[in-house]
Amino acid sequence: ASKVAREKAESTCVADGDTASYKDKAVKQVVCRIDTIDAPETGKSKYGKKGQDFGEESKAQLQQMILNKEVTVRISSPAEPGKNYGRNTCQIEIEGANIDKKMLQAGAAWVYKTFRNNPELIAAENEAKQAQRGLWANYNAQDPAAFRRMERYGGNAPKQ
């Protein structure tokens, strides 16, 4: 259940396929990690991190959907110091449609591990897989969590 009521806002920045920012009523920049999806990682050259296949395409997909548009945001878990890179976890809607489901249907993200029991999200991901849409056009698509483990542990990540 949401800890904060829905808030209408304009999306001001898309950092990657599962992170966006908006300005709240106090005109403070609020960074949100979409709570139900995990998108391919984008490169972070500033930190010497390479990007994941389809990372830039996923980011572009989210930008096309929400950047500089009015969205409805619900913070599902406020940011905690030292966790989740200081981001809130949020649900984002545009014109009454959940962005998470749209990203899954576009083949631009995976269902986040905590939500793999959500039949609607699983169905959206499976539909994109069967249609080989987006990242699913690559038969060897790698889950972002596995990619992050590979980056951290130099290729000694457990297989999924």
Side-chain angles (χ1 to χ4, degrees):
S2 172
K3 298 184 189 299
V4 184
R6 292 179 187 205
E7 179 174 22
K8 291 217 179 271
E10 183 177 322
S11 171
T12 57
C13 177
V14 171
D16 60 32
D18 57 26
T19 305
S21 300
Y22 69 95
K23 291 202 179 191
D24 68 7
K25 290 177 186 171
V27 194
K28 178 181 145 206
Q29 188 80 359
V30 179
V31 181
C32 286
R33 163 122 183 20
I34 300 172
D35 61 2
T36 54
I37 62 173
D38 201 3
E41 298 296 328
T42 55
K44 312 282 189 277
S45 58
K46 179 178 175 181
Y47 302 105
K49 299 266 185 190
K50 68 175 189 157
Q52 182 177 0
D53 288 347
F54 209 77
E56 292 300 323
E57 292 87 344
S58 178
K59 175 182 176 178
Q61 181 73 37
L62 187 59
Q63 285 175 327
Q64 180 184 10
M65 287 183 196
I66 69 170
L67 187 59
N68 299 320
K69 297 178 182 172
E70 184 179 82
V71 295
T72 302
V73 180
R74 185 179 314 129
I75 297 175
S76 48
S77 181
E80 295 179 42
K83 289 188 175 181
N84 201 22
Y85 303 101
R87 301 175 295 183
N88 298 289
T89 53
C90 304
Q91 297 168 356
I92 301 175
E93 296 176 359
I94 189 160
E95 298 173 358
N98 286 327
I99 289 305
D100 55 359
K101 186 176 176 186
K102 287 179 152 297
M103 289 292 286
L104 292 166
Q105 289 171 326
W110 277 258
V111 174
Y112 192 68
K113 64 184 175 200
T114 317
F115 294 90
R116 290 197 177 136
N117 62 350
N118 181 314
E120 185 178 3
L121 297 179
I122 293 296
E125 182 180 283
N126 286 337
E127 173 193 327
K129 279 181 189 176
Q130 289 171 355
Q132 296 182 325
R133 198 175 301 125
L135 64 91
W136 302 113
N138 176 356
Y139 74 94
N140 206 15
Q142 184 181 35
D143 182 295
F147 178 82
R148 290 188 294 269
R149 281 193 302 272
M150 291 284 284
E151 289 299 298
R152 263 188 239 123
Y153 302 116
N156 296 322
K159 300 255 185 224
Q160 279 203 292

